[in-house]
Amino acid sequence: MRIDVKTLLILASLPLLLIAIALVQWGSMGLPALPSATSMAAIMQPQGFPSWLRIGHFINALFFILLVRSGLQILMDHPRLYWNVHCTPGTEWLRLTPVAMPKDRMWTAKEDARHLSPWIGLPGYRHTVGMARHWHFLSVLFWIGNGFVYVALLFATDAWHRLVPTSWHVVPDAWAVFVHYATLHLPQEPNGFFHYNALQQLSYFSVVFILAPLALITGPSMSPAFTARFPWYPRLPGNRQIGRSLHFLVMCAFIAFTGMHIAMVAITGLTQNMNHIVVGTDAANTTGLWIGAIGITLIIGLNAGANLLAWRQPRLVQHTAKLIITPIMRLLFGRAVPTAQFAPPDISPYFWVNGKAPTCSEWEQLEADGFRNYRLTVHGAVGNPVELSLDEMRALGLSEQITLHHCIQGWSGIAQWGGLRMDRLMALVKPLPHATAVVFHSFSDGVALDRPGVGGRYYDSLSLRDAHSPQTILAYEMNGEPLTRHHGAPLRLRVENQLGFKMVKWIQSIEFVEDISAIRGGEGGFAEDHEYFGELANI
Ligand SMILES: Nc1nc2c(c(=O)[nH]1)N[C@H]1C(S)=C(S)[C@@H](COP(=O)(O)O)O[C@H]1N2
Ligand SMILES: [Mo]
């Protein structure tokens, strides 16, 4: 584990500064006056918590916890956070793995992946980024949906008056409350059933109207389809890795808020506060506590159920996600044509490697001969099956692009790729009208982490639409040189609106098919078959 001291200081400086000022103020001038309870009661406020708000609060808690737990597991698949887009090992500001980076041997991104204890991570326990993503995306739909209903009802009723400050006076009032808390004094609290104190109001307001939108807008800065179509988007925060780091820091802020929120609920009258938010009364009885305890048990049970489903019924979770999330991703990003291009100075000094180079004698022989005898076989549902040598591919025309690679694990890197555009190849081989997908078969064996012995050759597939995309190329060059052994020699796929696992390296043959479910495990690729990845990888 390692955190960059400078970043830590910057992150900690604002809260520490505020606490220091509060201490000085208290020491020199004493505690500031708070708005009196009677003046607060005089302000007309909607009273209590309507049922939609209490239910929304519960739903929010459930999906928020699922989001955090699955998000943390996704983070641990590449347990490093950077401010730079190249992800050069050693430049991370936060490293959540004891492994610095072995210098004496190849260290792939997959080997770098960690998993969390299932008490924290969803699913945790073993390498499961595919499953964690399914839970993350399923949860986020409900979390956002619930959030929109909540905000709509807030403004459709008078409930917004409690949450939205309407006078700048809230700032000095909130500061006065803060000076009390920061110097460990408990101010006289208004009854939260009728009125929040100013700091409470400001914090709730910020969580709903600043933090939640920040979580929403930092997410898509990691989507290959979205950022390849709208290159300006990740540039808003700076780059993709800044977006990813901010997404994480927003979660930290949420957790800090939740911790303080729970502490304050407990300190300022747990029994009554629980009645407020659970049953909607201001009574002093224990009904809210009991029903609240049942609600919390339910949340824990549902979380445990999510873990169990992920481990025992991964295919069911994968297919449910495919049913619900895939159409939404297709709707949002399916037609986004990738166009993002970078300049030569942007090229990454280091480019992470994934996957295992082929060990079959066929490929080793080809490599030994400098791939002179390599022939790409293109077959299946095509009018004109072909076999092409590298020279024949070169004769069909070189296309070059400098693009950003997005690995599902979280790392990225910029490189220049040169090769044959897939649409040129398709013009040559003429896919038959009933062909729906194109499959790329590799010489190398796939690695299903934590599923030793499972496998066979790596492969993946594309829809014909993605295959036709102008930035889908069969690359034989990287940064102006022939592909190296680790990056997929002699031929690999680049498809810039998808995540890295779709980009098969060490391509042996290309097959056009009518029905992808008839190929191998039937899910569309090795990672989809064995690691339950979603087959549409544009987020
Ligand atoms: N044959 C094969 N191709 C593969 C993989 C693999 O394991 N085997 N890994 C994929 C993944 S997960 C990524 S992120 C990219 C990485 O490409 P790079 O090693 O050139 O960075 O290759 C993809 N292509
Ligand atoms: Mo990847």
Side-chain angles (χ1 to χ4, degrees), residues 77 109-110 353-355 405-411 458 499-503 533:
D77 224 70
K110 270 204 179 170
V353 167
N354 244 340
H405 178 93
H406 302 65
C407 173
I408 193 169
Q409 299 183 268
W411 58 271
Y458 196 89
L499 293 174
F501 75 88
K502 306 290 289 181
M503 307 186 199
F533 285 14

PDB file of all heavy atoms in Angstrom, residues 77 109-110 353-355 405-411 458 499-503 533, ligand 2:
ATOM      1  N   ASP A  77      -9.368  -4.533  -9.150  1.00  0.00           N
ATOM      2  CA  ASP A  77      -8.886  -5.270 -10.309  1.00  0.00           C
ATOM      3  C   ASP A  77      -7.693  -4.583 -10.958  1.00  0.00           C
ATOM      4  O   ASP A  77      -6.927  -5.211 -11.697  1.00  0.00           O
ATOM      5  CB  ASP A  77     -10.002  -5.471 -11.339  1.00  0.00           C
ATOM      6  CG  ASP A  77      -9.979  -6.888 -11.870  1.00  0.00           C
ATOM      7  OD1 ASP A  77     -10.309  -7.809 -11.116  1.00  0.00           O
ATOM      8  OD2 ASP A  77      -9.577  -7.064 -13.036  1.00  0.00           O
ATOM      9  N   ALA A 109      -1.217  -6.993 -16.282  1.00  0.00           N
ATOM     10  CA  ALA A 109      -2.236  -6.307 -15.491  1.00  0.00           C
ATOM     11  C   ALA A 109      -3.102  -7.312 -14.746  1.00  0.00           C
ATOM     12  O   ALA A 109      -3.546  -7.056 -13.634  1.00  0.00           O
ATOM     13  CB  ALA A 109      -3.091  -5.421 -16.404  1.00  0.00           C
ATOM     14  N   LYS A 110      -3.340  -8.460 -15.368  1.00  0.00           N
ATOM     15  CA  LYS A 110      -4.169  -9.462 -14.689  1.00  0.00           C
ATOM     16  C   LYS A 110      -3.489 -10.011 -13.447  1.00  0.00           C
ATOM     17  O   LYS A 110      -4.136 -10.281 -12.447  1.00  0.00           O
ATOM     18  CB  LYS A 110      -4.519 -10.606 -15.649  1.00  0.00           C
ATOM     19  CG  LYS A 110      -5.808 -10.335 -16.398  1.00  0.00           C
ATOM     20  CD  LYS A 110      -6.443 -11.620 -16.849  1.00  0.00           C
ATOM     21  CE  LYS A 110      -7.745 -11.317 -17.564  1.00  0.00           C
ATOM     22  NZ  LYS A 110      -8.286 -12.497 -18.222  1.00  0.00           N
ATOM     23  N   VAL A 353       0.609  -4.820 -20.244  1.00  0.00           N
ATOM     24  CA  VAL A 353       0.375  -5.995 -21.075  1.00  0.00           C
ATOM     25  C   VAL A 353      -0.656  -6.869 -20.384  1.00  0.00           C
ATOM     26  O   VAL A 353      -0.710  -6.936 -19.159  1.00  0.00           O
ATOM     27  CB  VAL A 353       1.693  -6.780 -21.274  1.00  0.00           C
ATOM     28  CG1 VAL A 353       1.433  -8.161 -21.853  1.00  0.00           C
ATOM     29  CG2 VAL A 353       2.632  -5.998 -22.183  1.00  0.00           C
ATOM     30  N   ASN A 354      -1.505  -7.492 -21.163  1.00  0.00           N
ATOM     31  CA  ASN A 354      -2.413  -8.495 -20.618  1.00  0.00           C
ATOM     32  C   ASN A 354      -2.396  -9.743 -21.468  1.00  0.00           C
ATOM     33  O   ASN A 354      -2.149  -9.686 -22.669  1.00  0.00           O
ATOM     34  CB  ASN A 354      -3.837  -7.935 -20.507  1.00  0.00           C
ATOM     35  CG  ASN A 354      -4.264  -7.867 -19.058  1.00  0.00           C
ATOM     36  OD1 ASN A 354      -3.690  -8.538 -18.210  1.00  0.00           O
ATOM     37  ND2 ASN A 354      -5.272  -7.065 -18.777  1.00  0.00           N
ATOM     38  N   GLY A 355      -2.693 -10.848 -20.836  1.00  0.00           N
ATOM     39  CA  GLY A 355      -2.754 -12.112 -21.564  1.00  0.00           C
ATOM     40  C   GLY A 355      -1.399 -12.784 -21.648  1.00  0.00           C
ATOM     41  O   GLY A 355      -0.364 -12.199 -21.337  1.00  0.00           O
ATOM     42  N   HIS A 405      -6.325   3.271 -25.123  1.00  0.00           N
ATOM     43  CA  HIS A 405      -6.788   1.928 -24.791  1.00  0.00           C
ATOM     44  C   HIS A 405      -7.444   1.957 -23.406  1.00  0.00           C
ATOM     45  O   HIS A 405      -6.894   2.530 -22.473  1.00  0.00           O
ATOM     46  CB  HIS A 405      -5.573   0.988 -24.778  1.00  0.00           C
ATOM     47  CG  HIS A 405      -5.877  -0.421 -24.399  1.00  0.00           C
ATOM     48  ND1 HIS A 405      -6.148  -1.385 -25.331  1.00  0.00           N
ATOM     49  CD2 HIS A 405      -5.950  -1.036 -23.199  1.00  0.00           C
ATOM     50  CE1 HIS A 405      -6.364  -2.546 -24.719  1.00  0.00           C
ATOM     51  NE2 HIS A 405      -6.254  -2.346 -23.409  1.00  0.00           N
ATOM     52  N   HIS A 406      -8.615   1.345 -23.284  1.00  0.00           N
ATOM     53  CA  HIS A 406      -9.296   1.238 -21.983  1.00  0.00           C
ATOM     54  C   HIS A 406      -9.393  -0.226 -21.605  1.00  0.00           C
ATOM     55  O   HIS A 406     -10.147  -0.965 -22.232  1.00  0.00           O
ATOM     56  CB  HIS A 406     -10.732   1.748 -22.046  1.00  0.00           C
ATOM     57  CG  HIS A 406     -10.907   3.163 -22.500  1.00  0.00           C
ATOM     58  ND1 HIS A 406     -10.593   3.605 -23.764  1.00  0.00           N
ATOM     59  CD2 HIS A 406     -11.403   4.239 -21.845  1.00  0.00           C
ATOM     60  CE1 HIS A 406     -10.880   4.891 -23.863  1.00  0.00           C
ATOM     61  NE2 HIS A 406     -11.378   5.306 -22.717  1.00  0.00           N
ATOM     62  N   CYS A 407      -8.667  -0.637 -20.594  1.00  0.00           N
ATOM     63  CA  CYS A 407      -8.822  -2.011 -20.111  1.00  0.00           C
ATOM     64  C   CYS A 407      -9.976  -2.049 -19.115  1.00  0.00           C
ATOM     65  O   CYS A 407     -10.171  -1.111 -18.349  1.00  0.00           O
ATOM     66  CB  CYS A 407      -7.539  -2.509 -19.456  1.00  0.00           C
ATOM     67  SG  CYS A 407      -7.727  -4.118 -18.669  1.00  0.00           S
ATOM     68  N   ILE A 408     -10.701  -3.150 -19.107  1.00  0.00           N
ATOM     69  CA  ILE A 408     -11.825  -3.322 -18.181  1.00  0.00           C
ATOM     70  C   ILE A 408     -11.358  -3.180 -16.741  1.00  0.00           C
ATOM     71  O   ILE A 408     -12.116  -2.804 -15.846  1.00  0.00           O
ATOM     72  CB  ILE A 408     -12.490  -4.708 -18.400  1.00  0.00           C
ATOM     73  CG1 ILE A 408     -13.848  -4.790 -17.699  1.00  0.00           C
ATOM     74  CG2 ILE A 408     -11.595  -5.844 -17.938  1.00  0.00           C
ATOM     75  CD1 ILE A 408     -14.665  -6.006 -18.098  1.00  0.00           C
ATOM     76  N   GLN A 409     -10.074  -3.468 -16.514  1.00  0.00           N
ATOM     77  CA  GLN A 409      -9.572  -3.424 -15.148  1.00  0.00           C
ATOM     78  C   GLN A 409      -9.399  -2.005 -14.631  1.00  0.00           C
ATOM     79  O   GLN A 409      -9.389  -1.789 -13.429  1.00  0.00           O
ATOM     80  CB  GLN A 409      -8.224  -4.152 -15.073  1.00  0.00           C
ATOM     81  CG  GLN A 409      -8.325  -5.607 -15.460  1.00  0.00           C
ATOM     82  CD  GLN A 409      -6.990  -6.290 -15.285  1.00  0.00           C
ATOM     83  OE1 GLN A 409      -6.198  -6.357 -16.208  1.00  0.00           O
ATOM     84  NE2 GLN A 409      -6.716  -6.749 -14.086  1.00  0.00           N
ATOM     85  N   GLY A 410      -9.234  -1.037 -15.553  1.00  0.00           N
ATOM     86  CA  GLY A 410      -9.124   0.350 -15.111  1.00  0.00           C
ATOM     87  C   GLY A 410      -7.943   1.106 -15.683  1.00  0.00           C
ATOM     88  O   GLY A 410      -7.947   2.326 -15.708  1.00  0.00           O
ATOM     89  N   TRP A 411      -6.916   0.410 -16.146  1.00  0.00           N
ATOM     90  CA  TRP A 411      -5.752   1.129 -16.670  1.00  0.00           C
ATOM     91  C   TRP A 411      -6.000   1.561 -18.107  1.00  0.00           C
ATOM     92  O   TRP A 411      -6.891   1.057 -18.791  1.00  0.00           O
ATOM     93  CB  TRP A 411      -4.473   0.296 -16.560  1.00  0.00           C
ATOM     94  CG  TRP A 411      -4.502  -1.021 -17.249  1.00  0.00           C
ATOM     95  CD1 TRP A 411      -4.919  -2.214 -16.719  1.00  0.00           C
ATOM     96  CD2 TRP A 411      -4.109  -1.308 -18.612  1.00  0.00           C
ATOM     97  NE1 TRP A 411      -4.814  -3.210 -17.656  1.00  0.00           N
ATOM     98  CE2 TRP A 411      -4.320  -2.688 -18.821  1.00  0.00           C
ATOM     99  CE3 TRP A 411      -3.600  -0.543 -19.646  1.00  0.00           C
ATOM    100  CZ2 TRP A 411      -4.030  -3.316 -20.035  1.00  0.00           C
ATOM    101  CZ3 TRP A 411      -3.324  -1.158 -20.856  1.00  0.00           C
ATOM    102  CH2 TRP A 411      -3.535  -2.525 -21.035  1.00  0.00           C
ATOM    103  N   TYR A 458      -7.928 -18.246 -26.558  1.00  0.00           N
ATOM    104  CA  TYR A 458      -8.623 -16.965 -26.396  1.00  0.00           C
ATOM    105  C   TYR A 458      -9.350 -16.631 -27.691  1.00  0.00           C
ATOM    106  O   TYR A 458      -8.872 -16.926 -28.785  1.00  0.00           O
ATOM    107  CB  TYR A 458      -7.601 -15.875 -26.089  1.00  0.00           C
ATOM    108  CG  TYR A 458      -8.213 -14.600 -25.523  1.00  0.00           C
ATOM    109  CD1 TYR A 458      -8.393 -14.456 -24.149  1.00  0.00           C
ATOM    110  CD2 TYR A 458      -8.597 -13.552 -26.353  1.00  0.00           C
ATOM    111  CE1 TYR A 458      -8.942 -13.297 -23.614  1.00  0.00           C
ATOM    112  CE2 TYR A 458      -9.141 -12.388 -25.831  1.00  0.00           C
ATOM    113  CZ  TYR A 458      -9.309 -12.266 -24.457  1.00  0.00           C
ATOM    114  OH  TYR A 458      -9.846 -11.116 -23.940  1.00  0.00           O
ATOM    115  N   LEU A 499     -13.888  -2.036 -24.727  1.00  0.00           N
ATOM    116  CA  LEU A 499     -12.835  -2.275 -23.749  1.00  0.00           C
ATOM    117  C   LEU A 499     -11.795  -3.241 -24.307  1.00  0.00           C
ATOM    118  O   LEU A 499     -12.056  -3.984 -25.263  1.00  0.00           O
ATOM    119  CB  LEU A 499     -13.433  -2.852 -22.468  1.00  0.00           C
ATOM    120  CG  LEU A 499     -14.341  -1.897 -21.676  1.00  0.00           C
ATOM    121  CD1 LEU A 499     -15.000  -2.638 -20.505  1.00  0.00           C
ATOM    122  CD2 LEU A 499     -13.562  -0.693 -21.156  1.00  0.00           C
ATOM    123  N   GLY A 500     -10.625  -3.246 -23.646  1.00  0.00           N
ATOM    124  CA  GLY A 500      -9.476  -3.987 -24.156  1.00  0.00           C
ATOM    125  C   GLY A 500      -9.680  -5.473 -24.380  1.00  0.00           C
ATOM    126  O   GLY A 500      -9.090  -6.048 -25.298  1.00  0.00           O
ATOM    127  N   PHE A 501     -10.507  -6.114 -23.555  1.00  0.00           N
ATOM    128  CA  PHE A 501     -10.588  -7.570 -23.676  1.00  0.00           C
ATOM    129  C   PHE A 501     -11.192  -8.016 -25.010  1.00  0.00           C
ATOM    130  O   PHE A 501     -11.057  -9.174 -25.404  1.00  0.00           O
ATOM    131  CB  PHE A 501     -11.335  -8.184 -22.484  1.00  0.00           C
ATOM    132  CG  PHE A 501     -12.832  -7.993 -22.502  1.00  0.00           C
ATOM    133  CD1 PHE A 501     -13.648  -8.907 -23.144  1.00  0.00           C
ATOM    134  CD2 PHE A 501     -13.420  -6.899 -21.876  1.00  0.00           C
ATOM    135  CE1 PHE A 501     -15.026  -8.741 -23.162  1.00  0.00           C
ATOM    136  CE2 PHE A 501     -14.796  -6.721 -21.887  1.00  0.00           C
ATOM    137  CZ  PHE A 501     -15.601  -7.649 -22.534  1.00  0.00           C
ATOM    138  N   LYS A 502     -11.872  -7.089 -25.715  1.00  0.00           N
ATOM    139  CA  LYS A 502     -12.418  -7.439 -27.034  1.00  0.00           C
ATOM    140  C   LYS A 502     -11.320  -7.495 -28.102  1.00  0.00           C
ATOM    141  O   LYS A 502     -11.551  -7.993 -29.200  1.00  0.00           O
ATOM    142  CB  LYS A 502     -13.466  -6.404 -27.485  1.00  0.00           C
ATOM    143  CG  LYS A 502     -14.612  -6.120 -26.548  1.00  0.00           C
ATOM    144  CD  LYS A 502     -15.594  -7.242 -26.405  1.00  0.00           C
ATOM    145  CE  LYS A 502     -16.466  -7.521 -27.583  1.00  0.00           C
ATOM    146  NZ  LYS A 502     -17.405  -8.637 -27.267  1.00  0.00           N
ATOM    147  N   MET A 503     -10.150  -6.924 -27.771  1.00  0.00           N
ATOM    148  CA  MET A 503      -9.123  -6.732 -28.805  1.00  0.00           C
ATOM    149  C   MET A 503      -8.153  -7.904 -28.817  1.00  0.00           C
ATOM    150  O   MET A 503      -7.069  -7.850 -28.254  1.00  0.00           O
ATOM    151  CB  MET A 503      -8.378  -5.426 -28.548  1.00  0.00           C
ATOM    152  CG  MET A 503      -9.348  -4.272 -28.422  1.00  0.00           C
ATOM    153  SD  MET A 503      -8.477  -2.740 -28.301  1.00  0.00           S
ATOM    154  CE  MET A 503      -9.770  -1.717 -27.589  1.00  0.00           C
ATOM    155  N   PHE A 533     -17.882 -11.743 -18.288  1.00  0.00           N
ATOM    156  CA  PHE A 533     -17.895 -10.347 -18.725  1.00  0.00           C
ATOM    157  C   PHE A 533     -19.137 -10.105 -19.578  1.00  0.00           C
ATOM    158  O   PHE A 533     -19.649 -11.018 -20.234  1.00  0.00           O
ATOM    159  CB  PHE A 533     -16.663 -10.042 -19.589  1.00  0.00           C
ATOM    160  CG  PHE A 533     -15.370  -9.903 -18.820  1.00  0.00           C
ATOM    161  CD1 PHE A 533     -15.246 -10.322 -17.508  1.00  0.00           C
ATOM    162  CD2 PHE A 533     -14.261  -9.332 -19.438  1.00  0.00           C
ATOM    163  CE1 PHE A 533     -14.045 -10.193 -16.819  1.00  0.00           C
ATOM    164  CE2 PHE A 533     -13.057  -9.194 -18.753  1.00  0.00           C
ATOM    165  CZ  PHE A 533     -12.944  -9.633 -17.448  1.00  0.00           C
TER     166      PHE A 533
HETATM  167 MO    MO B   2      -8.148  -5.878 -20.252  1.00  0.00          MO
END
